[in-house]
Amino acid sequence: STADSYRMLTIENMDADHEIRRISPVAVSSNDGYTDLLNGCMDKGWCFSYTCLKRLMTFWTIVPTNKIYTVHFSGSAPQTLRLHLQNAR
């Protein structure tokens, strides 16, 4: 079949400073010219009535599996990165 199969792609920064160093927005570009711009999660902590500026640098997007992708970071790229294509066989 020529129909695209879609999966959720998870991109995780696994560096020790993953909560305090921002690498977003992240651009996921396919070989056919499509680009998805991903923003980071919201601040997950509160410090004395003010946000702690701690964010998980984890990103999710839906992608067709029959394409080639390039991932671009607006900050310096993580030294350790986890890519997960959910329910892939």
Side-chain angles (χ1 to χ4, degrees):
S1 166
T2 60
D4 289 339
S5 174
Y6 290 86
R7 297 287 183 261
M8 181 172 296
L9 173 65
T10 305
I11 303 168
E12 286 183 86
N13 175 2
M14 303 300 291
D15 290 350
D17 62 352
H18 71 276
E19 289 183 321
I20 57 174
R21 182 171 59 91
R22 223 168 138 78
I23 60 171
S24 63
V26 173
V28 178
S29 301
S30 65
N31 60 337
D32 62 354
Y34 174 79
T35 298
D36 193 4
L37 194 58
L38 310 172
N39 206 352
C41 300
M42 66 179 272
D43 189 337
K44 68 181 189 91
W46 289 92
C47 299
F48 306 107
S49 299
Y50 188 73
T51 60
C52 298
L53 301 176
K54 289 188 175 183
R55 291 177 172 85
L56 289 178
M57 290 290 103
T58 302
F59 308 90
W60 300 268
T61 187
I62 305 295
V63 296
T65 57
N66 63 345
K67 307 283 185 215
I68 297 171
Y69 294 93
T70 304
V71 179
H72 305 273
F73 300 97
S74 62
S76 55
Q79 296 295 307
T80 307
L81 183 69
R82 181 181 353 198
L83 299 172
H84 179 72
L85 197 57
Q86 294 182 15
N87 300 316
R89 294 180 227 161

